[in-house]
């Protein structure tokens, strides 16, 4: 352990001085960085109806760029909801963006640095991964960032075929909200873990300039998710110290175990970013009616349709997505 730290400390100092390299990792190798224009080259814009029944109109890439619902610079990638137009009853919904990576990844470490995520009533954004082979839920779904309406906490969850149960108690900072990952039970709630940090999601997250989410997808360990606030000591010069992160307790941990064999439920995944409105979660009466959003409109759909300006903060602003593979598993 001492040796690991010593090497890390030395390497980190070197990196800071060199100022152009990321802090290195002893167990993972950087294989790709998606920054700014890379998103245009490496993702497809999906325009199908939202499978979760949201009041959303996912637009194609050309429309998204023309209407500035997708914006790129050398350093930023922004995806937003339309915040200028009312939605007519006959329309599909509020214009928004859903993108899907062209590449799929087996064992990997995904490091997402974001300065803003969609916030506000009716919003339901998600950053997640999904089996490239499917059909869903074969090959699994991993929801890394997800929440609705004015919620302050992130929920990470898995959705799988049958026979995938997580232990109630495991080494993680978050609290287990459900243990069955099987999509056919509990109305496809999945096995979720609610994060302890009040600023892991929504307005609180945005107020501090966001932070970094890391998801490890490992056939030997299972799936882990860490949330690292912008001001964390696990960052050096703004970059995560990956080896220290990997040694720290994750916010959510979904171990491969005797009641959920990773290899039976997960394969290579594509990466998805989306933002829907209302739908099966944010818009369900049992959720909308008890949120403070209900004071603004009787139903989620009427809120979305009639209040475009309420969606000014409904955007993702991504600094980078870096993807690493375990050393020794390089293609
Ligand atoms: C991503 O896009 C860049 C161009 O911006 C390209 O060079 C790279 O090969 C692409 N591939 C992957 C897997 O990210
Ligand atoms: C498009 O969106 C970007 C990012 O939010 C913003 O900086 C820019 O001013 C917008 N452009 C126009 C023409 O509205
Ligand atoms: C939710 O609120 C709407 C509008 O006030 C009402 O019509 C509906 O019955 C409520 N549903 C539940 C489950 O409370």
């Amino acid at each position: 352990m001492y040796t690991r730290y010593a090497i890390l400390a030395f390497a980190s100092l070197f990196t800071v001085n060199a100022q152009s390299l990321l802090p290195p990792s002893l167990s993972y190798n950087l294989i790709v960085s998606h920054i700014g224009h890379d998103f245009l080259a490496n993702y497809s814009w999906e325009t199908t109806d939202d499978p979760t029944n949201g009041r959303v109109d996912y637009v194609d890439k050309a429309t998204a760029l023309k209407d500035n619902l997708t914006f790129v610079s050398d350093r930023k990638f922004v995806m937003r909801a339309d915040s200028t137009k009312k939605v007519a009853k006959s329309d599909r919904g509020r214009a928004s963006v859903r993108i899907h990576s062209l590449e799929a990844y087996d064992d990997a470490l995904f490091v997402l640095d974001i300065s803003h995520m969609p916030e506000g009533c009716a919003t339901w954004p998600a950053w997640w991964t999904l089996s490239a082979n499917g059909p869903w839920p074969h090959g699994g779904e991993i929801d890394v960032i997800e929440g609705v309406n004015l919620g302050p906490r992130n929920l990470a969850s898995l959705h799988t075929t049958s026979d995938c149960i997580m232990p109630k108690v495991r080494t993680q900072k978050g609290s287990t909200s459900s243990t069955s990952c099987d999509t056919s039970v509990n109305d496809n709630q999945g096995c979720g873990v609610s994060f302890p940090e009040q600023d892991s999601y929504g307005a609180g997250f945005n107020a501090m300039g966001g932070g970094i989410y890391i998801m490890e997808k490992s056939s030997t360990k299972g799936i882990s998710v860490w949330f690292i606030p912008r001001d964390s000591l696990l960052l050096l010069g703004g970059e995560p110290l990956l080896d220290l992160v990997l040694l720290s307790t994750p916010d959510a941990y979904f171990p491969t175990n005797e009641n959920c064999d990773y290899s039976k439920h997960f394969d290579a995944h594509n990466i998805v970013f989306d933002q829907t409105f209302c739908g099966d979660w944010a818009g369900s009466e049992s959720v909308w009616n008890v949120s403070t959003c209900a004071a603004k409109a009787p139903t989620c759909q009427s809120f979305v349709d009639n209040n475009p300006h309420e969606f000014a903060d409904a955007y993702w602003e991504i600094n980078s997505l870096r993807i690493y593979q375990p050393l020794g598993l390089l293609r």
Side-chain angles (χ1 to χ4, degrees):
M1 212 55 113
Y2 275 117
T3 326
R4 275 173 76 95
Y5 277 110
I7 293 170
L8 182 69
F10 177 79
S12 302
L13 285 172
F14 174 80
T15 305
V16 168
N17 291 336
Q19 287 207 340
S20 58
L21 298 169
L22 296 169
S25 165
L26 300 175
S27 42
Y28 279 95
N29 223 22
L30 180 65
I31 56 158
V32 67
S33 292
H34 291 162
I35 297 172
H37 294 91
D38 299 327
F39 284 92
L40 296 183
N42 293 303
Y43 291 76
S44 67
W45 270 240
E46 296 187 290
T47 58
T48 44
D49 286 346
D50 174 17
T52 59
N53 304 304
R55 183 69 176 152
V56 69
D57 180 26
Y58 285 127
V59 300
D60 62 27
K61 190 176 180 177
T63 306
L65 287 167
K66 175 172 69 67
D67 294 346
N68 210 31
L69 303 183
T70 292
F71 168 84
V72 284
S73 69
D74 288 346
R75 306 184 56 179
K76 297 275 185 191
F77 178 67
V78 176
M79 286 173 285
R80 62 170 71 254
D82 174 77
S83 60
T84 61
K85 301 184 199 75
K86 287 194 176 186
V87 177
K89 248 203 160 68
S90 58
D91 289 351
R92 192 158 69 142
R94 179 160 297 285
S96 181
V97 174
R98 172 168 165 141
I99 64 168
H100 190 112
S101 70
L102 301 179
E103 287 276 311
Y105 302 90
D106 277 309
D107 281 13
L109 190 70
F110 303 86
V111 180
L112 178 70
D113 182 342
I114 47 181
S115 43
H116 194 281
M117 69 169 72
E119 66 170 88
C121 291
T123 61
W124 176 4
W127 177 50
W128 50 294
T129 69
L130 175 70
S131 170
N133 298 325
W136 186 88
H138 295 271
E141 169 184 333
I142 304 170
D143 300 329
V144 186
I145 302 179
E146 193 174 19
V148 295
N149 297 323
L150 303 176
R153 287 192 177 83
N154 188 49
L155 183 79
S157 21
L158 309 183
H159 299 264
T160 65
T161 47
S162 57
D163 298 322
C164 180
I165 311 278
M166 288 294 143
K168 181 125 186 81
V169 177
R170 48 215 214 241
T171 309
Q172 60 181 10
K173 289 198 281 177
S175 53
T176 301
S177 57
S178 47
T179 53
S180 176
C181 311
D182 180 352
T183 55
S184 68
V185 305
N186 301 332
D187 298 321
N188 182 26
Q189 195 189 327
C191 48
V193 175
S194 177
F195 283 34
E197 299 92 352
Q198 281 278 0
D199 53 5
S200 56
Y201 184 84
F205 176 90
N206 294 332
M208 63 165 181
I212 293 173
Y213 268 90
I214 297 185
M215 191 266 278
E216 183 181 44
K217 181 173 175 292
S218 162
S219 49
T220 53
K221 286 181 265 179
I223 294 149
S224 306
V225 180
W226 291 264
F227 163 57
I228 306 173
R230 185 68 65 204
D231 57 3
S232 169
L233 294 174
L234 290 171
L235 303 179
L236 184 72
E239 301 290 348
L241 292 162
L242 287 183
D243 292 295
L244 292 185
V245 172
L246 293 169
L247 288 170
S248 71
T249 304
D251 285 279
Y253 180 42
F254 306 95
T256 182
N257 68 80
E258 69 268 25
N259 296 317
C260 184
D261 179 352
Y262 177 99
S263 62
K264 288 206 180 92
H265 296 281
F266 295 93
D267 55 17
H269 279 194
N270 296 108
I271 302 158
V272 185
F273 289 90
D274 69 33
Q275 174 178 201
T276 188
F277 313 103
C278 306
D280 298 340
W281 185 8
S284 88
E285 286 186 0
S286 62
V287 171
W288 179 263
N289 286 17
V290 300
S291 88
T292 52
C293 297
K296 298 188 175 200
T299 65
C300 187
Q301 180 169 328
S302 62
F303 179 81
V304 170
D305 290 358
N306 300 320
N307 300 284
H309 303 298
E310 295 270 1
F311 293 85
D313 290 321
Y315 66 94
W316 291 100
E317 184 175 291
I318 299 170
N319 297 325
S320 61
L321 172 60
R322 292 197 163 92
I323 303 166
Y324 297 73
Q325 279 181 342
L327 289 174
L329 275 183
L330 297 176
R331 286 179 291 185

